[in-house]
Amino acid sequence: MKTGLFIVSVLSFGLLSISHSFANNLNITEFEKWKKKHKKDVSHFIEQYDKDFASFLKSRWVETDVMAGKQRDIKPKPQQTPSKQPKPIEDKTPVEIVLPDIQPPEIKPEQNRPDVAELPLPKGKVPDVKVKSPFYYVEDDKGSKNQISEVSLLGQTLIMPKITLPNLNITKLSSGVISELWLTMASSDFKPAISAIEQASHDLKLDDWGNALLTHQYLTAQARLTQNQRQLLTWFYLVKQGFDARVAFDKNEIYLLLNAAQPLFAQKFFTFDDQKYYFVDFAKTRPINIGSVYTYEQQYSSAKKPVKIDMRVAPIQGKSDKTRVLTTKIGKQSVAVTAPYNSSYIDFLNFYPQVSMQYYFQAELPEQTKVSLLSQLKQQIAGLSELEAANFLLHFVQTSLQYQTDQQQFNYENYLFAGETLHYPYADCEDRSVLFAYLVTHLMGNKVVGLQYDGHVATAVALKSKTTGSSFLINDVRYTIADPTFINANVGEVMTGFEGVEPELVIY
């Protein structure tokens, strides 16, 4: 099925027609050298601001010291979780933790979370979500193989226009070389590819970071590229989509940098005009290590958009190829819940950087995982009171997941989205808190906030019924603590070692 037509007519012209305008920015001798070297390549119109930008790149570079990324959770988490024998909630005076009123963030109408969905119960099998594949972004889906490029993303095949990549011959690095390479890329037929990327990002419901991952994947599907070629081309194609991307270089390597809309953790950066630019390599899942570099100060005129990470809408993905079965016993009841997911979605999330806690609480699950997980758990809590349902979901998360810290499982701090928690064999406190908050919000409709202690993360739930145990007020709404890491603890019980400690609220 076709989703769009992305053939863009590109103006062509002779070499002589651009020599006059080039003379305004590069001297005649330099242009003649460039023209002679690239005689076969200059078949497309080079716009004036590309010439201006190349001229700027030629000379105005500065040496910049790289800053170390901020580390999160310096205090280590508990190596083992405390546990207690389950018991009924006793009627006792609530223990209040006094916190100041905090205004929730402003949410636009289109960002409001929908009402709790009426989900069908599974009938003997995991619900199936139909996925159209492949996606076509070329004029004719029956075109020859040399006119299309097959790009794999999120377990799907995207049929994209074939790009004839410019010849980027990089023998040494300097501002003049990068200026010349910009002109070479600007003279190529890049516009059909830009249109295809933008439409595919829209159709797949990708956020900005996902768009950048798609851009990189698309480019690397065209040919075998060196690291410097990859970074240059990704930079160029992101800039042409309006993103605030830049490059830097040292003696041997070119580095891609992105102006992120939110702080990134453990990611090196430098600052220009109060904007942080983070070093990124979309071929690597871990942050790169670098000292000082050379970069330019002025940005491309139309490249103003910071790159946002926003997973409130789950990206469209292929059919699930993996299944996680979560089993436990709650009281005398045995519970087994099946969660299907696509392994390519997990691979996709591996290339996302670490961000602040609220973005994990905000994230949506992919449709097939969501429908299956929620429909089975909805059946489990049907007929329970509000407090009973909250405790059931709390005990389910506490006991169906095995505990390890991120250092034990990954050797580095690695917050997980809820979909990732259903994949990896172990989950620590913040992973459990994100999953529990998701289940309560979507199955019960209750508001949840995160509680970020020094070395620990838990949650608190706004319950309509009267509860006992530890609670606090936010804007006249009482929230009762629920800790998915304190094994067998009920709603209202604070994990051992954190009694009376004031946490930082995570409102999302």
Side-chain angles (χ1 to χ4, degrees):
M1 180 178 179
K2 298 179 183 178
T3 58
L5 178 63
F6 301 101
I7 302 299
V8 179
S9 298
V10 182
L11 296 175
S12 61
F13 64 108
L15 284 168
L16 292 178
S17 65
I18 64 170
S19 60
H20 180 267
S21 57
F22 256 140
N24 294 328
N25 300 294
L26 302 175
N27 66 51
I28 297 299
T29 302
E30 290 169 340
F31 175 65
E32 288 299 327
K33 290 180 180 178
W34 186 89
K35 180 178 70 174
K36 183 177 180 180
K37 184 176 180 180
H38 298 277
K39 184 176 181 180
K40 294 181 180 180
D41 297 333
V42 186
S43 58
H44 299 281
F45 179 74
I46 301 179
E47 295 176 337
Q48 182 62 45
Y49 41 78
D50 284 313
K51 303 171 198 173
D52 293 340
F53 188 54
S55 179
F56 177 83
L57 289 175
K58 191 170 183 62
S59 58
R60 301 182 184 180
W61 290 66
V62 294
E63 186 172 11
T64 304
D65 289 328
V66 176
M67 304 294 292
K70 182 179 179 182
Q71 298 297 316
R72 182 172 51 193
D73 295 338
I74 298 175
K75 184 175 180 179
K77 296 184 176 70
Q79 298 296 302
Q80 294 181 336
T81 59
S83 178
K84 60 176 297 181
Q85 291 298 319
K87 64 177 182 179
I89 296 177
E90 299 176 0
D91 186 12
K92 58 183 180 181
T93 305
V95 178
E96 274 198 33
I97 299 175
V98 180
L99 294 172
D101 284 354
I102 298 179
Q103 295 298 323
E106 182 181 357
I107 299 178
K108 297 179 180 178
E110 65 268 19
Q111 297 173 355
N112 286 340
R113 190 183 296 278
D115 294 335
V116 179
E118 288 297 322
L119 297 168
L121 297 177
K123 297 180 179 179
K125 65 175 184 178
V126 172
D128 190 22
V129 175
K130 294 182 179 179
V131 179
K132 62 176 183 178
S133 182
F135 289 82
Y136 286 94
Y137 296 98
V138 292
E139 183 180 27
D140 185 357
D141 58 15
K142 297 180 181 179
S144 63
K145 288 290 184 181
N146 61 1
Q147 295 174 338
I148 65 173
S149 177
E150 295 187 358
V151 181
S152 297
L153 191 78
L154 290 164
Q156 299 165 115
T157 300
L158 312 180
I159 306 300
M160 312 279 277
K162 184 72 176 180
I163 310 173
T164 302
L165 294 177
N167 181 24
L168 303 180
N169 185 20
I170 307 171
T171 56
K172 62 179 181 178
L173 294 178
S174 68
S175 59
V177 168
I178 292 179
S179 172
E180 183 177 309
L181 292 170
W182 178 271
L183 286 173
T184 300
M185 292 185 289
S187 70
S188 66
D189 188 15
F190 62 86
K191 290 186 178 179
I194 294 294
S195 296
I197 292 169
E198 291 175 341
Q199 187 62 43
S201 292
H202 175 270
D203 292 347
L204 298 178
K205 300 182 179 178
L206 302 180
D207 63 356
D208 293 343
W209 198 272
N211 174 291
L213 283 169
L214 168 60
T215 300
H216 177 268
Q217 189 78 355
Y218 182 19
L219 291 168
T220 55
Q222 310 303 311
R224 182 175 295 178
L225 302 171
T226 66
Q227 178 172 317
N228 285 344
Q229 289 171 336
R230 278 194 302 103
Q231 300 290 57
L232 272 177
L233 285 164
T234 305
W235 166 55
F236 177 82
Y237 274 80
L238 290 177
V239 165
K240 286 297 182 179
Q241 293 176 72
F243 290 111
D244 190 0
R246 65 171 59 237
V247 289
F249 71 88
D250 58 15
K251 184 177 180 180
N252 299 312
E253 292 189 27
I254 295 173
Y255 302 95
L256 172 68
L257 297 105
L258 298 180
N259 175 13
Q262 55 262 88
L264 308 183
F265 290 91
Q267 206 95 357
K268 291 201 169 185
F269 67 94
F270 57 68
T271 303
F272 274 140
D273 295 330
D274 297 325
Q275 300 296 318
K276 288 183 179 179
Y277 290 88
Y278 293 90
F279 287 80
V280 175
D281 187 341
F282 289 113
K284 300 176 181 178
T285 59
R286 296 288 293 122
I288 62 176
N289 191 21
I290 185 62
S292 63
V293 293
Y294 289 92
T295 192
Y296 54 94
E297 293 182 276
Q298 182 174 316
Q299 183 55 296
Y300 192 77
S301 59
S302 61
K304 303 294 185 183
K305 294 188 298 184
V307 178
K308 296 179 182 178
I309 295 174
D310 186 351
M311 300 296 282
R312 287 174 294 184
V313 176
I316 302 297
Q317 59 180 312
K319 193 172 182 178
S320 297
D321 62 347
K322 299 286 185 181
T323 300
R324 174 75 175 274
V325 180
L326 300 174
T327 60
T328 188
K329 190 172 184 180
I330 300 176
K332 297 181 179 180
Q333 181 182 358
S334 295
V335 180
V337 174
T338 301
Y341 64 92
N342 189 289
S343 57
S344 294
Y345 172 65
I346 306 302
D347 295 337
F348 179 77
L349 293 179
N350 272 336
F351 289 93
Y352 271 68
Q354 293 291 303
V355 289
S356 298
M357 197 71 239
Q358 67 263 33
Y359 300 106
Y360 299 91
F361 280 109
Q362 290 174 353
E364 183 56 272
L365 281 173
E367 188 67 15
Q368 190 170 0
T369 306
K370 174 182 178 179
V371 171
S372 178
L373 184 65
L374 296 186
S375 60
Q376 293 170 81
L377 285 171
K378 181 178 180 180
Q379 190 175 28
Q380 296 284 349
I381 64 173
L384 299 182
S385 69
E386 179 189 53
L387 186 56
E388 288 171 332
N391 273 307
F392 180 94
L393 295 176
L394 182 63
H395 294 157
F396 172 75
V397 175
Q398 288 170 349
T399 57
S400 68
L401 299 170
Q402 297 297 310
Y403 180 86
Q404 272 193 3
T405 67
D406 288 335
Q407 292 296 332
Q408 291 170 322
Q409 183 168 206
F410 302 108
N411 294 319
Y412 63 93
E413 191 65 29
N414 184 25
Y415 283 14
L416 300 179
F417 294 103
E420 293 177 293
T421 298
L422 297 172
H423 165 75
Y424 291 106
Y426 304 102
D428 67 1
C429 56
E430 73 271 359
D431 310 326
R432 293 158 174 263
S433 295
V434 166
L435 180 59
F436 172 71
Y438 183 90
L439 296 178
V440 169
T441 303
H442 286 77
L443 286 168
M444 299 175 58
N446 296 66
K447 292 182 179 180
V448 182
V449 297
L451 305 179
Q452 195 149 20
Y453 298 92
D454 189 7
H456 183 54
V457 176
T459 67
V461 184
L463 297 171
K464 303 176 186 68
S465 53
K466 185 178 179 181
T467 61
T468 59
S470 297
S471 64
F472 52 87
L473 293 174
I474 304 176
N475 299 330
D476 298 324
V477 176
R478 182 165 295 281
Y479 286 77
T480 304
I481 286 178
D483 196 324
T485 310
F486 190 9
I487 308 303
N488 293 325
N490 289 321
V491 171
E493 296 184 275
V494 180
M495 192 164 85
T496 304
F498 293 90
E499 302 92 337
V501 178
E502 182 177 313
E504 178 184 345
L505 298 184
V506 182
I507 300 178
Y508 57 98

